[in-house]
Amino acid sequence: MRRHIGFASLALTIALAWSAVPQLGAASAVPVTREPHMEMSVHMPAAAGDAARADAVLAGARAVMAQYPTPADAERAGFKKFLPGVPLPVEHYTSGTFALEAWFGRFDAKHPTSLIFRRNPQGMTLVGVMYTASNAAGEEQLNERVPLSYGTWHRHINFCAPPDVGSAAARTDARGAAAPNARFGFAGSISTAAACETAGGTFRPLVFGWMVHVWPNERDPAKIWAVDADGDAHHMHGGTAAGMVGQRAYGNTLPIALDKLPSLKVASGDERRGAIVFAENCQECHGVGARNGPDAPPLAGMGLSAGQVAYMVRKPKAIDPASEMPLLSLDDTQLADVAAFVAGLK
């Protein structure tokens, strides 16, 4: 059996990630959307071969999960718990060996950096895996590992470490989960260098590297490739944005029958540019790839034409008078691009 190196090597990986911080502004040409503490790759149009490559990643993930189904199995193979001694609702067991392989450019679907367990009353259940890549990886490299039309690569940004990381209070605050009003850590209220300095913390614009989660036990493709274990594909925890009709009200259907939905004349658009327009203007409500938004119906696979998408963007209240969808200030090129992207989603 391969011998896995320990946390000393993993610490080297993290140090390498931090050494790339000055390059954050140039960020390896990966199209992204940003939240205060998260940077996520844009869901791109599917290319030929993407489905087969995604299926291969999924098969590899399932194989390794079958090999190490329990924390004890994982530990015997050299995986070690992240934040030892701190119980978390979702636990990452990480292989230093596989982390370094990924950092230096090697990808093997059977070598995930981390195995992900969910804590429950009976113990812990293996629910997913995490693959990683160096911060130096560009769009092409990330896409070669896990297609950007399926997975959402993401990384943690704007991290403020508490002044005394050794204290119990600071560790709880840094986790961000146990303290609703936490200032520090991955979910803290501090997200700027100035605020972190005022609080006496240590600011890191970027921590770790690129990562992507896979949840092979899920049946819904949107949840298989979601950012987190709760099937949250866009990571907007606690979001309050109001959508056009609301998924809660209409479920997984359009507000009116497809054959009754009017169409606008729209020019041919560029799906790739449209993916970025969608991520910046529509994803918060409709979800990544328009599949599972919290406040608007899914649009992927509905059979919409580009003209029908354009009509919904330009005239949301003509579809639903009670719509709370904002009237987006897109120019004609942006409209054509986002219409082409949404119409192409399967």
Side-chain angles (χ1 to χ4, degrees):
M1 178 180 294
R2 176 188 295 266
R3 185 183 177 197
H4 292 251
I5 58 180
F7 271 176
S9 292
L10 185 58
L12 171 62
T13 300
I14 295 172
L16 287 169
W18 280 354
S19 72
V21 165
Q23 300 176 11
L24 178 60
S28 55
V30 179
V32 297
T33 57
R34 290 182 178 87
E35 296 177 6
H37 293 290
M38 185 75 75
E39 188 173 62
M40 294 169 289
S41 65
V42 170
H43 180 92
M44 302 304 286
D50 280 6
R53 294 194 300 116
D55 285 345
V57 172
L58 198 52
R62 285 174 174 150
V64 77
M65 287 174 67
Q67 192 173 2
Y68 311 119
T70 69
D73 293 321
E75 289 177 331
R76 280 192 291 270
F79 290 86
K80 297 184 182 297
K81 175 178 152 36
F82 180 69
L83 288 181
V86 181
L88 299 170
V90 177
E91 300 281 12
H92 287 62
Y93 279 69
T94 297
S95 162
T97 298
F98 293 166
L100 284 177
E101 280 184 9
W103 190 263
F104 289 109
R106 182 172 179 231
F107 178 75
D108 184 335
K110 294 182 181 179
H111 287 187
T113 293
S114 298
L115 301 172
I116 306 175
F117 293 85
R118 184 191 290 275
R119 195 174 292 278
N120 56 54
Q122 292 72 43
M124 287 198 286
T125 302
L126 181 60
V127 293
V129 303
M130 182 179 79
Y131 300 104
T132 58
S134 160
N135 285 310
E139 179 183 357
E140 295 79 9
Q141 288 75 34
L142 296 183
N143 186 60
E144 285 173 2
R145 297 179 183 212
V146 175
L148 295 175
S149 57
Y150 282 81
T152 300
W153 287 91
H154 54 283
R155 56 187 179 180
H156 297 285
I157 60 175
N158 301 331
F159 179 86
C160 183
D164 181 5
V165 296
S167 71
R171 292 179 73 185
T172 301
D173 203 17
R175 284 165 52 194
N181 297 317
R183 294 183 299 156
F184 304 100
F186 294 113
S189 60
I190 297 175
S191 60
T192 67
C196 187
E197 182 179 359
T198 299
T202 301
F203 187 73
R204 299 287 185 183
L206 175 64
V207 290
F208 308 125
W210 288 107
M211 58 195 78
V212 62
H213 294 144
V214 185
W215 314 101
N217 296 335
E218 297 289 347
R219 295 185 178 181
D220 180 349
K223 292 185 176 181
I224 290 174
W225 302 100
V227 172
D228 66 29
D230 296 316
D232 184 355
H234 47 81
H235 213 265
M236 293 293 291
H237 298 297
T240 58
M244 179 169 68
V245 292
Q247 188 171 356
R248 288 185 292 271
Y250 288 92
N252 293 323
T253 63
L254 295 171
I256 61 176
L258 185 65
D259 61 357
K260 303 292 186 184
L261 181 59
S263 177
L264 283 181
K265 186 176 181 179
V266 63
S268 296
D270 181 283
E271 290 186 43
R272 178 182 170 79
R273 291 198 308 258
I276 297 173
V277 175
F278 183 89
E280 293 174 345
N281 295 277
C282 315
Q283 182 169 294
E284 183 174 345
C285 291
H286 288 282
V288 171
R291 291 189 180 278
N292 65 340
D295 295 293
L299 303 174
M302 292 295 183
L304 291 161
S305 70
Q308 288 174 315
V309 176
Y311 187 91
M312 289 192 295
V313 172
R314 289 291 194 235
K315 301 182 179 183
K317 290 191 179 296
I319 301 171
D320 176 17
S323 171
E324 295 184 46
M325 175 177 167
L327 192 59
L328 302 177
S329 57
L330 303 182
D331 62 32
D332 289 344
T333 298
Q334 291 172 312
L335 178 66
D337 290 343
V338 75
F341 170 71
V342 174
L345 294 171
K346 306 301 182 187

